[in-house]
Amino acid sequence: MPEGHTVHRIARLFEGLFAGQGITASSPQGRFSEGAALISGRTVQAVEALGKQLFITVDNDLVVRVHLGIYGAWDVATLEGGHARAGSASMESLGAPRVSTTRIAEAERTRAEDEPFPPAPIGAVRLRMETDRVVADLRGPTACEVLTPEEVLRVRGTLGPDPLVDRGELGLGEFVSRLARTKRPIGIALMDQSVVAGIGNVYRAEILFRHRLDPYRPAQSVPEDVAVDLWRDWSVLLEDGVKTGVMLTRSDLDAAGRTRALRSKAERYFVYQRHGQPCRVCGTTVSMDLMAARKLYYCKACQSALP
DNA sequence: TCACAATGAACAA
DNA sequence: TGTTCCTTGTGAC
């Protein structure tokens, strides 16, 4: 998925495109027809992200909750000069990576000249939201449902703090105490959305490496000052990810290296999907284990000391 | 053509 | 712990 940074980007983009606007909602694929009918014709009041969840509130107090899961994505097209346009700087596809590259290229090719607006949906579109000049298509979400405000509160209650929502000491304290409360491995705890909301498999692996933490170490045994560092580091990474749209977690790069890494996926990470290759710091072969059925990447040499 | 992977999580047992 | 679901692109046949 689309970890937390992607969802915050979507929320900011949608806030600009839809807030205050009347929308028409539909489900070209048909699986969300009833939900779409509940919000169609309404005005969007707010678009918010919390962890990996997106909440779109409309003026009858109903809220659409969207969770992209591993491969969900939004494609956005805007009307410019009478023609559909997709793929410009702000019109990226937001979600699963394979979509964001190929789908955009495709969209630019096929929609540049004469496709009428709105463009026909491509593939299995669960939800289409449109205004006079904007169309957003959602495909492959793990969750897309209409909730009442009370139900939204219940969902939010299951989530841990998000640095961009729970700013300042509040989120920090909450994270530290939730981490101290679990004996499970720190590699599991960081992925647990009720401990901290928004971290996924990529950020999990990279944050652990950045702090040279053994993924198997009980979360409880992580010293409080280290826990504080983890939260601050996650806050920085998240903000950076929202800004660039890219998860760039290397701390060992100069400006030129950073520019390269922003372009090339192979340069972005310390350990994620680098198993079998030498650790960028010590040269030891990067390991890959299964932890709770997810792939865990780490360096056994760098991430073994007990601080 | 087909198996499989992918930034996730709910559920059964 | 294992299974299932959501959708698409890739790479092996």
Side-chain angles (χ1 to χ4, degrees), chain A residues 226-263:
Chain A
V226 176
V228 169
D229 287 348
L230 285 174
W231 174 262
R232 297 205 195 287
D233 198 28
W234 165 229
S235 307
V236 170
L237 287 176
L238 176 60
E239 216 148 332
D240 193 58
V242 172
K243 210 168 294 171
T244 63
V246 168
M247 291 187 276
L248 203 179
T249 54
R250 302 263 307 269
S251 51
D252 60 336
L253 297 172
D254 57 15
R258 222 184 123 78
T259 305
R260 265 196 309 279
L262 282 172
R263 258 194 307 268

Side-chain angles (χ1 to χ4, degrees), chain A residues 266-283:
Chain A
E267 299 290 318
R268 277 178 208 165
Y269 313 122
F270 277 117
V271 291
Y272 179 73
Q273 283 188 342
R274 293 197 64 251
H275 57 297
Q277 298 175 60
C279 171
R280 297 190 192 278
V281 171
C282 76

Side-chain angles (χ1 to χ4, degrees), chain A residues 206 209-210 212 250 252 269-287 297-304:
Chain A
E206 296 295 302
F209 182 88
R210 284 161 66 94
R212 307 295 191 265
R250 302 263 307 269
D252 60 336
Y269 313 122
F270 277 117
V271 291
Y272 179 73
Q273 283 188 342
R274 293 197 64 251
H275 57 297
Q277 298 175 60
C279 171
R280 297 190 192 278
V281 171
C282 76
T284 300
T285 302
V286 174
S287 302
Y297 304 89
Y298 67 111
C299 171
K300 281 184 170 150
C302 289
Q303 301 173 249
S304 58

Side-chain angles (χ1 to χ4, degrees), chain A residues 28-40:
Chain A
Q29 171 205 52
R31 296 185 47 178
F32 188 60
S33 299
E34 289 184 23
L38 292 174
I39 59 162
S40 193

Side-chain angles (χ1 to χ4, degrees), chain A residues 126-157:
Chain A
R126 182 82 58 89
L127 167 63
R128 164 169 282 203
M129 290 196 313
E130 54 182 302
T131 67
D132 289 351
R133 45 189 46 257
V134 181
V135 171
D137 285 343
L138 170 67
R139 48 169 58 74
T142 201
C144 175
E145 58 181 358
V146 176
L147 302 179
T148 64
E150 295 73 36
E151 291 170 323
V152 170
L153 284 179
R154 194 183 50 69
V155 172
R156 295 181 75 115

Side-chain angles (χ1 to χ4, degrees), chain A residues 62-75:
Chain A
L62 291 178
V63 181
V64 183
R65 179 182 79 97
V66 174
H67 190 307
L68 293 177
I70 287 188
Y71 46 71
W74 286 96
D75 280 326

